[in-house]
Amino acid sequence: MTRLELNEVIAKLDSPEKEIILLKFFEGFTLEETAIILDMNVNTVKTKMYRALNRLRQILENKEGTL
């Protein structure tokens, strides 16, 4: 998967989910740091992160099925 394809998939996420994924996996912030940056509870960040990862998996599975 190219960086462009990855950006397209991430762009399909809702804004808070997208921000969490970018901060955590691309910027390298911890969950605690991400929570502070987004002014959220750490547990909220964890929940949104797991939902975002599940959504990304669904998007990728659907994309692979259409290839």
Side-chain angles (χ1 to χ4, degrees), residues 5-46:
E5 290 170 325
L6 184 59
N7 286 339
E8 289 174 3
V9 172
I10 291 173
K12 294 181 182 183
L13 295 175
D14 294 333
S15 184
E17 293 175 342
K18 186 185 323 179
E19 290 173 339
I20 290 168
I21 294 297
L22 293 175
L23 289 170
K24 174 73 176 122
F25 296 103
F26 290 87
E27 299 295 329
F29 289 103
T30 65
L31 289 173
E32 292 78 11
E33 292 168 331
T34 301
I36 292 168
I37 291 168
L38 297 177
D39 194 28
M40 292 181 181
N41 181 290
V42 174
N43 288 329
T44 302
V45 170
K46 287 179 186 178

